[in-house]
C-alpha cells in the first residue's frame, strides 16, 4: 500500500473524515468492567421503576422489593410470592441457581446501589410504561455491551396504561434509536406499531437453539392476546434471529419472539405481556393466565430465555450462543484498537495507520483497507484461541467511505471470516457517515484456535475505504 497514492484520492474526503471523528466520538461512553457470571448463581433484575404496575398490569415477581425472599424465603408455589410474574420468579428461585431482585428506582450502571446493573447478569423489562431517561438508556446499553442480557417484553401499540403518552412499543424503539451508546439499529430489529388481537405464533424448527430447547423444556408455540411483532434487519446486526413467528410470517417480518447480541451481551424480544401473566397478583387487577395457557409453552420460553440471557443456557443456536458460567470473562484480541501500530495483527503493508486522511474512532490508529480507486486487495488477520466452555462474541466498528455512486451494485467488498465461517460481507453499498458497531456470535470457536480475518477487495475505478477500529473478541 502506497500512502501517497491513497492520500491523493482521499484528499476530497479529508474533511468528511474529520466529521466522522466527531460522529464517532458521540458514540463513545465510559464503561465499567463487564459483569462477571458467578459459578452457579445467575443474577437477574426485574424492573418495576417504569409504571409496570400501572392500570391493570401487575408485572412484578413479588410485592417485597428489592428482595422477593423477604416475602417468602423458600417459595414452592406461585402464590407464595405476590405478583402476576410470581410464577416466573418462583420457577427460577426453586432451581437454586438464581438470585432475583426488583428495581424500583432509576436504572444505573457502575454505581454502588444493590440494584445497580453492574451487579447483575440479566435485566428484565416487563412492559415499561414510562420513557427511560437519557442516563438510563446509557446505563442499559452499556450493561448489554459489556456482557449483560436484556429481556424486552413489549405489548401492543396503544397500551399506554398510565396515560402519559407512551406505550412499550414507543419506549423500546426510543431506547434502541435514541441513546448515547449506539443508535444505529444496534440489535438489528424494530418493534412494529401493531395491535394483533389473538393468535398462537409457532416456533421455528431448530433443535440446537437453547431458548427453544433448554433446561426448562421445549417451546412449540406462544400466545398473542393483543400484542405486536418485530421487523428484523440482519443487514444491521447479523446476529438477530426470529424464533417464534406470527402465523403466515417468516424471515424478517412478523417475529413475535427474537434474539440478538450487542457487544458482549445478549438481547431477547417478546411481543406481548400476556404470555408472562400467571393469572395471580395483587387485588384489584384483572389478570389472565397466559403463563399456563394450554395452547402454548410460554413458561418454557420465558425461563429458557432468561437462562440464555443470564449465561446459564446451553451453547449452540440462538442469537448469541450460551455459556455455563464456567468461563473467565476476557477480551482475547491483541492490539484491539491498533494503537500499538503494526504489532499482533498480520496484514497488508500500511493497513494499520495513523494517517490523518481517515480519522480513527478512538485514539490515533485504525485499520484502513483499500481506498485506492484501482484494483487492489488488502488483508488483516489475527489468530486467537477461544477457551472451551465459553460463549464468544466478535465485535468491531466499521466505517465505509466510498466514491461509488451506484445504489444497487457492490463493486468493492470487505469479507469478515472467523475460522472457516464467513460472518459478513460489506460493500460500497454500506457506506455511512460514521462508524457502526458490528457484532457476531462466534461461540462455535470455543475450544479451538482460529483466525479472524478481514479481506478488502476493490475494483478498478472509484475508491471505497473500509476502516476498522476498536475490535474485540469477548468471552464469558
Amino acid at each position: 500500500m502506497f500512502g501517497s497514492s491513497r492520500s491523493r484520492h482521499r484528499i476530497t474526503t479529508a474533511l468528511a473524515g474529520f466529521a466522522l471523528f466527531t460522529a464517532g466520538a458521540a458514540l463513545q461512553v465510559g464503561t465499567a468492567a463487564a459483569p462477571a457470571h458467578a459459578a452457579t448463581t445467575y443474577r437477574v433484575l426485574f424492573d418495576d421503576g417504569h409504571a409496570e404496575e400501572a392500570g391493570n398490569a401487575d408485572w412484578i415477581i413479588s410485592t417485597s422489593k428489592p428482595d422477593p425472599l423477604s416475602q417468602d424465603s423458600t417459595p414452592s408455589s406461585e402464590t407464595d410470592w405476590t405478583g402476576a410474574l410470581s410464577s416466573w420468579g418462583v420457577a427460577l428461585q426453586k432451581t437454586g441457581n438464581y438470585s432475583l431482585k426488583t428495581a424500583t428506582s432509576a436504572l444505573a450502571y457502575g454505581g454502588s446501589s444493590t440494584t445497580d446493573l453492574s451487579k447483575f447478569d440479566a435485566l428484565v423489562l416487563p412492559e415499561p410504561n414510562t420513557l427511560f431517561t437519557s442516563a438510563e438508556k446509557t446505563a442499559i446499553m452499556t450493561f448489554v455491551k459489556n456482557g449483560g442480557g436484556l429481556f424486552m417484553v413489549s405489548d401492543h401499540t396503544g397500551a399506554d396504561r398510565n396515560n402519559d403518552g407512551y406505550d412499550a412499543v414507543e419506549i423500546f424503539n426510543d431506547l434502541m434509536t435514541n441513546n448515547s451508546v449506539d443508535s444505529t439499529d444496534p440489535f438489528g430489529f424494530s418493534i412494529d406499531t401493531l395491535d394483533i388481537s389473538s393468535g398462537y405464533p409457532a416456533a421455528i424448527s431448530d433443535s440446537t437453539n437453547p431458548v427453544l430447547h433448554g433446561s426448562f423444556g421445549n417451546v412449540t408455540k406462544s400466545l398473542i392476546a393483543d400484542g405486536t411483532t418485530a421487523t428484523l434487519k440482519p443487514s444491521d446486526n447479523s446476529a438477530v434471529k426470529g424464533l417464534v413467528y406470527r402465523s403466515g410470517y417468516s424471515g424478517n417480518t412478523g417475529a413475535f419472539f427474537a434474539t440478538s447480541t450487542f457487544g458482549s451481551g445478549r438481547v431477547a424480544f417478546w411481543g406481548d405481556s400476556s404470555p408472562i401473566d400467571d393469572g395471580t397478583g395483587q387485588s384489584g387487577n384483572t389478570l389472565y393466565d397466559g403463563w399456563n395457557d394450554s395452547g402454548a409453552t410460554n413458561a418454557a420460553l420465558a425461563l429458557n430465555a432468561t437462562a440464555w440471557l443470564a449465561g446459564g443456557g446451553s451453547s449452540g443456536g440462538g442469537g448469541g450462543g450460551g455459556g455455563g458460567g464456567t468461563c473467565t470473562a476476557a477480551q482475547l484480541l491483541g492490539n484491539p484498537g491498533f494503537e500499538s501500530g503494526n504489532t499482533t495483527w498480520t496484514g497488508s503493508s500500511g493497513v494499520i495507520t495513523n494517517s490523518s486522511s481517515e480519522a480513527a474512532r478512538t485514539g490515533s490508529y485504525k485499520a484502513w483497507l483499500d481506498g485506492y480507486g484501482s484494483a487492489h486487495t488488502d488483508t488483516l488477520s489475527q489468530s486467537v484461541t477461544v477457551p472451551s466452555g465459553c460463549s464468544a462474541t466478535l465485535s468491531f466498528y466499521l466505517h465505509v467511505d466510498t466514491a461509488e455512486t451506484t445504489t444497487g451494485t457492490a463493486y468493492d467488498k470487505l469479507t469478515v471470516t472467523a475460522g472457516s465461517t464467513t460472518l459478513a460481507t460489506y460493500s460500497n453499498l454500506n457506506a455511512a457517515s460514521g462508524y457502526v458497531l458490528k457484532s457476531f456470535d462466534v461461540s462455535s470457536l470455543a475450544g479451538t484456535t482460529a483466525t479472524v480475518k478481514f479481506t478488502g477487495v476493490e475494483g478498478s475505478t472509484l475508491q471505497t475505504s473500509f476502516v476498522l477500529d476498536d475490535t474485540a473478541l469477548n468471552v464469558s
Side-chain angles (χ1 to χ4, degrees):
M1 176 179 294
F2 301 98
S4 59
S5 174
R6 180 158 62 174
S7 296
R8 184 171 63 248
H9 42 87
R10 297 303 303 161
I11 290 176
T12 58
T13 56
L15 293 178
F18 178 77
L20 294 178
F21 178 79
T22 58
L27 294 173
Q28 299 173 47
V29 61
T31 58
H37 296 300
T40 58
T41 302
Y42 303 99
R43 306 159 297 175
V44 181
L45 182 67
F46 286 79
D47 182 51
D48 187 34
H50 296 86
E52 281 90 352
E53 297 178 69
N56 206 40
D58 193 43
W59 310 138
I60 56 173
I61 57 173
S62 170
T63 52
S64 177
K65 310 164 194 174
D67 190 356
L69 296 179
S70 296
Q71 183 173 11
D72 190 320
S73 60
T74 56
S76 59
S77 69
E78 65 179 85
T79 54
D80 290 335
W81 288 356
T82 304
L85 305 188
S86 61
S87 287
W88 191 348
V90 169
L92 293 173
Q93 182 65 36
K94 287 170 66 177
T95 68
N97 296 327
Y98 291 85
S99 173
L100 311 177
K101 293 290 189 295
T102 299
T104 58
S105 56
L107 297 170
Y109 184 83
S112 59
S113 167
T114 57
T115 57
D116 187 87
L117 290 176
S118 63
K119 296 177 171 62
F120 293 89
D121 300 301
L123 169 65
V124 179
L125 300 175
E127 196 196 336
N129 255 253
T130 59
L131 283 170
F132 299 108
T133 66
S134 296
E136 286 181 308
K137 288 184 286 188
T138 297
I140 294 168
M141 297 298 292
T142 303
F143 166 70
V144 180
K145 182 180 178 182
N146 284 357
L150 177 63
F151 205 149
M152 305 163 66
V153 181
S154 186
D155 203 357
H156 62 90
T157 188
D160 179 10
R161 298 180 184 270
N162 61 341
N163 297 312
D164 70 343
Y166 296 98
D167 56 41
V169 174
E170 296 166 305
I171 291 164
F172 283 137
N173 281 334
D174 176 71
L175 169 66
M176 295 184 288
T177 62
N178 184 25
N179 69 80
S180 66
V181 179
D182 190 335
S183 293
T184 60
D185 192 23
F187 305 153
F189 65 84
S190 60
I191 302 175
D192 303 324
T193 54
L194 297 174
D195 183 351
I196 305 165
S197 61
S198 62
Y200 284 98
I204 65 171
S205 177
D206 186 346
S207 60
T208 66
N209 190 283
V211 175
L212 298 180
H213 304 282
S215 60
F216 292 98
N218 297 320
V219 177
T220 56
K221 291 184 177 182
S222 187
L223 164 72
I224 296 181
D226 287 314
T228 189
T229 55
T231 297
L232 311 185
K233 302 174 185 177
S235 61
D236 293 340
N237 186 331
S238 63
V240 70
K241 183 174 185 177
L243 301 186
V244 179
Y245 282 87
R246 181 185 178 189
S247 179
Y249 291 80
S250 62
N252 295 335
T253 60
F256 184 60
F257 196 103
T259 57
S260 189
T261 64
F262 174 63
S264 301
R266 304 169 180 175
V267 179
F269 158 80
W270 207 343
D272 195 359
S273 55
S274 299
I276 59 174
D277 187 343
D278 65 17
T280 69
Q282 300 174 86
S283 61
N285 292 309
T286 303
L287 302 171
Y288 302 92
D289 192 358
W291 185 264
N292 296 301
D293 188 288
S294 60
T297 47
N298 295 315
L301 183 53
L303 296 168
N304 286 342
T306 307
W308 176 76
L309 289 167
S314 58
S315 61
T326 59
C327 179
T328 300
Q331 196 290 110
L332 303 181
L333 290 178
N335 192 19
F338 309 110
E339 295 306 308
S340 297
N342 292 301
T343 64
T344 311
W345 295 90
T346 299
S348 303
S349 175
V351 164
I352 297 178
T353 176
N354 63 351
S355 167
S356 59
S357 297
E358 188 70 56
R361 178 179 177 269
T362 59
S364 301
Y365 283 82
K366 67 278 175 181
W368 183 358
L369 289 83
D370 297 330
Y372 290 91
S374 59
H376 187 85
T377 298
D378 277 331
T379 61
L380 181 72
S381 64
Q382 183 176 148
S383 178
V384 61
T385 299
V386 182
S388 299
C390 288
S391 62
T393 301
L394 173 68
S395 63
F396 54 89
Y397 282 85
L398 171 66
H399 168 55
V400 181
D401 182 4
T402 187
E404 300 283 0
T405 58
T406 179
T407 59
T409 303
Y411 290 113
D412 313 308
K413 297 180 180 180
L414 176 74
T415 302
V416 185
T417 59
S420 60
T421 301
T422 298
L423 301 177
T425 299
Y426 305 102
S427 73
N428 48 281
L429 300 179
N430 298 112
S433 60
Y435 282 92
V436 178
L437 177 64
K438 305 296 182 181
S439 180
F440 304 89
D441 168 41
V442 290
S443 299
S444 61
L445 299 180
T448 70
T449 298
T451 298
V452 174
K453 186 174 183 179
F454 302 89
T455 303
V457 178
E458 191 173 21
S460 59
T461 60
L462 299 178
Q463 75 85 24
T464 297
S465 296
F466 300 100
V467 190
L468 304 167
D469 206 353
D470 298 325
T471 66
L473 203 165
N474 287 294
V475 296
S476 60

